[in-house]
Each structure stands twice: as C-alpha cells, then as structure tokens.
Amino acid sequence: MEAIFLSARVRRHPDRHVFLVLVVLMSVAAVACRPQPVVTPVDPEPEPPVPPPPVLCGLCGAVVPPETALYRRPLLVLLDNHSAARPQAGIPAACLVFETLAEGGITRLAPVFAHAAPERIGPVRSARPYFLDLALGLDAFIAHAGQSPEAAADIENLKVASLNAFGFDDHYWRESARKAPHNLYTSDERLRAAAVKARLTLTRDAAAVRWPVDVGAAPAAELPAAPGLRVVWPFSSTGHVTVFRWRAAAEGEEYGRYERSVNDKPHLDEESGEILGGRNVAVLFAKMWRIAGDPEGRLDANFTGAGRAIVASDGRLIEAKWRKSTRASALELVDQNGERLELPPGQTWILIVPEQTVVEVLAP
Ligand SMILES: [Zn+2]
C-alpha cells in the first residue's frame, strides 16, 4: 500500500531521482516493520541428574546403600571368647570390634554393628560395668546375657540401652551343638525388635555421635613398620595370647589386614571359616584391676581419662593416645598433637589392656 501511494506522488515531482531513492528507502522500511515470526528460545538439552555421592559409614568407610541405615543406633554385642565359644558368629559384619578382659584372664569381644545386620551373632555372654562405658560412648544398644551386680546397678543409674537376654528371651536362642553357657545366639533383627519392645530410641543423631577414629588415608610410608602385634593378657593362669599379623592384599582385595590368632591358633569366623582380623588394630592401655575379695575373681577398670595407645594400621605403626572424659562420653583416639586419629577404611579392632600388659611389635 505504501509503495503504490509513493509511486503516485513520484509522477508529480520534478526530481524523480530523489523520489526514487525515497521509494526504495520506504519499501525497505516497510519490510523491516512487518511483524517478524516469534522465535521461542529452545531449551538447552536437560542435564542428566547428578547421582548423589555415595553415603559412607563414618567408622569403617563402607558404602552404605540406604542412607537411613546410617542413622540406625549402633548395636554392641558382648561375645564370649572362652575356647569353648570359638569360633564366634557375626564379627566380620562389625565396623568396630572391642576386646578386653573378663575374669579368669579370658577376654570378651564386643563387635559394634552400625549398618550391617548379621542373622547370627554369638555366643553372647554377660556384662561387666566397664563394658557399659564402651556402649555408652557410642550411644549404642548393648546386648548381653545377664550381668554382674555392679553392672546391674549401672544399667539402671546410667540409663544404658540394655537388651538383656534374661528378659528378652524370645530374642535369643540356644544352639544344641554347643554346651551352655557358650551357646546363646541372636541376630541384628531380633535385637532391634527387642529395642522396639523396650521403647528405646531406635535412631541416633549421626552428627552428635563420635566414633573412636575418623576414616582417612592410609598411614604415611615413612612410619615404622608394624608387621604385627602380640598381646600377652595378664590375670590369666593358663595364658591368653592374642596375635595380629599383617597379611598384604591378595589378588582382588582392596587392602590387606591383620589376621588374628589366639594362643597360636587362627581365630576363625564360624559362618565363613575365614580368619578374623581387620586393617586397623589399636591397643589402649588403661587401669584394670582385680576386685579385692570378689569370689568370682572379677575385674574392674577405669576407661575414663586418657592413656597411651599403639596402633597398627595398614602395616605401619602409630604412637597414639586415647581419651574419654566421662563414662558416657565418646572414646577417642588422638595423635601426639591431640588431633583425632584418621585410619584408612576397613574394620578396626580396639583392644583395651591393663597398663602392665606386655605388647610386642612383631618382627617381619
Ligand atoms: Zn561401618
């Protein structure tokens, strides 16, 4: 329309060239003013969703598939370590295993289960007061078969999350293949069901609970070698010797570990037949003594305060310290500067031995 009107005017004007230019310019302008098609911006290719980082156990470094499993309250089970009780069941599934003396110079083992849920754990034995400190420090349930009179009072006074077999009989079973009292078994599922029945808190505040060590890198290669540790437990009339000897990683294994023997015999897992042991072994020296006049020869111990510790980790030796301010507070391993100890991922064993115990670092 604009172009027709302009060409009509061109015929009447003397200077045709000027008007010709005008016509061209106006035509261009008309084209430029025509509504342009609306261009909708194309969305960029959607980014593939970033998978959440793997959730790791803060104690053993294992990848924990369901995140909720990390928030399960830890479970500490007191296991018999009498020769008639070996081999025990359930220990390989533990993140951490404590070992310390009961009476007669024989130790008791206390595996701690955070995310794994073994279907058979045992044989379970009775509690002593100082074992309660270990459970309290982790805010853990403690599974046990009875207890000494002192431990009974402490369970009450310190509000220990006790899952006593004598009271939760349905949650334990006896196996006829072994003689009592070395034949009481249970499972993670049955114990957690007992905790529901007892109306105990089932979860833990992951941020508030401190494990004894943090997961970190393997110790520096410059540290002295620790081919193994030999612990001669005191208070034993017959001799009770625990040895951990380093075995380098076999083909297909991510890392090596310290294999355990008791009185020169490999200490086996009842389920798999494999030798028990872990990548990290810590020996903590603490005050332990015989209770004067106790007819059973029971011991007492002080696991609060601070003391020396030696740690064999990944074939290296670390001089460390332990500390625990109250019976209910966390047990921590620290380096010489008081910084929390970092040990590489894997199962950790913590042996708490009387101060006078002879602990030898094995020769290669
Ligand atoms: Zn773990």
Side-chain angles (χ1 to χ4, degrees), residues 57-62 64 94-95 114-115:
C57 170
L59 180 55
C60 72
V64 183
C95 303
H115 43 84

Side-chain angles (χ1 to χ4, degrees), residues 2 15 24 32 45 144 160 169 208 237 257 288 302 315 337 360:
E2 294 93 335
D15 191 347
V24 171
E45 275 293 299
H144 56 109
V160 177
D169 327 32
S237 50
R257 61 193 200 119
M288 297 187 80
N302 182 2
N337 301 320
E360 182 194 333

